[in-house]
Amino acid sequence: MKMKILHFTAFSDAETPLWQHLDALMTRMGEHAVVNVVTLDNVATSMSNYNHFTIGTGKSDYGRHGVVNLLGLQKKYLHILYGFMPDIVHIHGSYNFIASRIGLWSRKRGFPVVFSSYGGMNPDFIDAQYGIRTWKMICYQKKMVANAAAMLLTDPKEADYLKGEKLNDRIVVISDPKTDEYTDYEEMAQETLALYQQVLDSDMGTKLDQNSREAISALLHLSLAGPEERQPLCAEDILNLRSLSPKKWHDLLLYAEEQGVTNIVLDGMERAQVKVPVPDLSTISHFPPRHAKDTSPLPSQSLLGSKKKSNRFSKKIQDCSDIEKTVCFMMQNLKYHAAHHSITLRHLCDLYTVYRHEPVNDNVLDTKLHDLHLHTFARRISQILKETVYLAEGFMPVTALDDHGTERIRKSLVRY
């Protein structure tokens, strides 16, 4: 199935270099993908390989002086957006308030947005345009850059500025075909489509549907269950695993890699006798999470952070058995990861394994968690383990708690 791309640029004046560039790029891109473009005015040139839509009144000067019906534009745009259901929304051009709204309306509805600023974020241009451009930068331009799923630029100096200002680290620079002796938009179209795919293969935690989330939980539970548990999965879980499409398996495995549980998931697939093509994840390009995830094992004998803090913590639990000490260390480290948004399924699986297969003294641990001020957090983790790895209540040393704190841990788990 071809990728579906929705482009937006405010105006389609055939005399402007930006529209001439976009017309050539979208014409070439339309040979490989389904391409639509939205503008405020009526298109002023003949199109091929892509469709054009206008959300303005049809007048050629609509919106050029800043007077628009914003609610009317939103309604028209959302009608086009949901009618087309693009994989990517690509916004072209800087310092246009309507473009910033297009990005906002798209992101709020779960559509990834790629932004091309065409020199608008070049430091020389910003200095030369000091004044009205500064206010636009403060009001919406910086947010538009920072919130983009990726930036597609043709100016390396612009890219260096954005990285230096830490506005966005997901930047791809593609040479402008017009700067070469021979204009070749085919190569630019291919590189742009590769960037779109890179965006689609990133941040899987925010993109998985409910069936895929249930599938990965079932596979983790199946892999980590003891050999004495003959039927760890119910019929609904088995049917759900059989129903996933190859695309959903592709996304599920990418998410497993981001969360550090690929081997556990693959083992679960083998036990469930799921026969699907497993992609070579090393060949799939994707952006690293903006909030770095820790996929290393959860420490069970020391605390993350300062050694002095770890020593003080060790003294507080010196009267516990080795198993209770292990759980206390792991719980405190989970709290550290949750606060730093680096918590992953790998950490939860490590704790699940201890809960599930080690002889934990529930009463002793309950008292010690109270003393360490970890009891409420531990109850929230029990709820997360119940949802993500199907931990049964009989293996929970503390009862599960589902509150606002639990929701913050859920969001931290998938925050990118």
Side-chain angles (χ1 to χ4, degrees):
M1 183 180 294
K2 287 186 176 181
M3 192 182 298
K4 298 164 69 175
I5 315 299
L6 182 63
H7 295 269
F8 175 83
T9 187
F11 307 110
S12 55
D13 188 345
E15 301 301 320
T16 61
L18 175 57
W19 179 257
Q20 293 171 359
H21 165 75
L22 289 179
D23 182 47
L25 177 61
M26 292 185 295
T27 297
R28 185 65 69 180
M29 190 180 293
E31 298 177 2
H32 311 285
V34 182
V35 179
N36 286 352
V37 60
V38 174
T39 62
L40 294 178
D41 58 354
N42 280 330
V43 71
T45 184
S46 59
M47 293 93 61
S48 59
N49 293 336
Y50 66 90
N51 299 312
H52 171 261
F53 298 91
T54 179
I55 55 176
T57 61
K59 296 181 180 179
S60 59
D61 62 344
Y62 182 74
R64 291 183 183 273
H65 305 294
V67 180
V68 297
N69 179 356
L70 196 60
L71 291 177
L73 290 178
Q74 182 183 24
K75 183 177 180 180
K76 289 182 180 179
Y77 175 71
L78 293 181
H79 178 75
I80 295 170
L81 183 70
Y82 282 115
F84 184 44
M85 293 299 292
D87 297 301
I88 294 285
V89 175
H90 192 162
I91 299 175
H92 304 265
S94 303
Y95 303 105
N96 184 279
F97 180 71
I98 301 304
S100 73
R101 298 304 93 183
I102 293 293
L104 177 64
W105 298 335
S106 302
R107 290 195 314 274
K108 278 189 172 182
R109 289 154 182 85
F111 295 90
V113 175
V114 173
F115 177 40
S116 294
S117 53
Y118 295 97
M121 301 302 292
N122 186 297
D124 296 335
F125 178 81
I126 293 173
D127 292 341
Q129 297 289 326
Y130 185 81
I132 186 64
R133 300 289 184 188
T134 304
W135 285 107
K136 290 183 177 182
M137 181 81 76
I138 294 172
C139 291
Y140 59 83
Q141 187 69 27
K142 277 192 175 182
K143 287 184 179 179
M144 191 174 175
V145 172
N147 292 328
M151 294 287 295
L152 175 57
L153 307 176
T154 57
D155 181 2
K157 191 171 184 179
E158 193 175 19
D160 292 339
Y161 173 77
L162 293 179
K163 292 178 180 178
E165 293 293 316
K166 298 182 179 180
L167 293 178
N168 198 317
D169 58 354
R170 298 181 173 189
I171 299 173
V172 173
V173 179
I174 298 178
S175 299
D176 188 345
K178 299 189 298 299
T179 61
D180 299 330
E181 182 178 357
Y182 300 102
T183 300
D184 183 10
Y185 276 95
E186 174 63 25
E187 183 177 355
M188 186 175 191
Q190 292 291 349
E191 292 181 1
T192 303
L193 289 171
L195 168 62
Y196 295 159
Q197 189 60 56
Q198 189 174 357
V199 170
L200 293 176
D201 288 336
S202 303
D203 304 340
M204 280 301 165
T206 62
K207 298 174 183 176
L208 290 185
D209 61 9
Q210 187 59 33
N211 287 344
S212 298
R213 294 185 185 279
E214 291 177 359
I216 198 168
S217 295
L219 292 170
L220 293 175
H221 176 74
L222 179 60
S223 178
L224 297 174
E228 71 280 359
E229 191 169 349
R230 299 184 61 186
Q231 292 181 323
L233 297 184
C234 64
E236 289 79 2
D237 285 327
I238 296 173
L239 289 174
N240 182 44
L241 290 173
R242 298 288 190 269
S243 69
L244 295 185
S245 66
K247 174 64 168 61
K248 289 185 178 181
W249 279 110
H250 171 274
D251 294 348
L252 184 153
L253 289 169
L254 282 176
Y255 177 61
E257 183 186 34
E258 292 175 355
Q259 294 288 322
V261 293
T262 301
N263 292 336
I264 302 175
V265 168
L266 291 176
D267 179 67
M269 292 171 63
E270 184 177 352
R271 293 192 182 195
Q273 298 182 353
V274 176
K275 304 298 182 183
V276 296
V278 177
D280 184 356
L281 300 178
S282 64
T283 65
I284 299 176
S285 178
H286 57 89
F287 292 107
R290 289 191 168 103
H291 296 273
K293 295 294 183 179
D294 188 319
T295 58
S296 61
L298 186 66
S300 60
Q301 302 299 322
S302 61
L303 289 188
L304 297 169
S306 68
K307 186 176 182 181
K308 184 181 295 186
K309 183 178 179 181
S310 182
N311 291 336
R312 289 199 304 266
F313 192 85
S314 298
K315 292 180 180 179
K316 293 180 180 180
I317 60 175
Q318 61 185 355
D319 57 331
C320 297
S321 69
D322 290 342
I323 297 302
E324 280 74 52
K325 287 180 181 178
T326 294
V327 174
C328 290
F329 273 120
M330 296 178 81
M331 195 64 65
Q332 184 64 43
N333 287 328
L334 271 176
K335 189 173 183 179
Y336 176 91
H337 280 304
H340 290 79
H341 308 293
S342 56
I343 187 172
T344 57
L345 286 176
R346 169 60 192 269
H347 304 142
L348 296 173
C349 287
D350 289 342
L351 182 61
Y352 172 92
T353 301
V354 175
Y355 277 179
R356 185 68 177 73
H357 301 295
E358 299 294 341
V360 179
N361 188 318
D362 294 357
N363 294 329
V364 172
L365 183 61
D366 187 275
T367 301
K368 185 53 64 175
L369 290 173
H370 271 295
D371 294 341
L372 297 170
H373 306 289
L374 288 172
H375 192 268
T376 300
F377 180 78
R379 292 184 63 195
R380 291 166 178 163
I381 290 296
S382 291
Q383 177 66 29
I384 299 297
L385 288 173
K386 178 181 177 181
E387 297 169 359
T388 58
V389 207
Y390 295 165
L391 179 66
E393 292 184 4
F395 294 100
M396 295 179 186
V398 292
T399 57
L401 173 64
D402 191 1
D403 63 358
H404 292 298
T406 310
E407 181 62 23
R408 285 196 296 270
I409 298 174
R410 291 191 191 100
K411 290 180 179 179
S412 178
L413 188 62
V414 299
R415 186 175 181 183
Y416 291 89

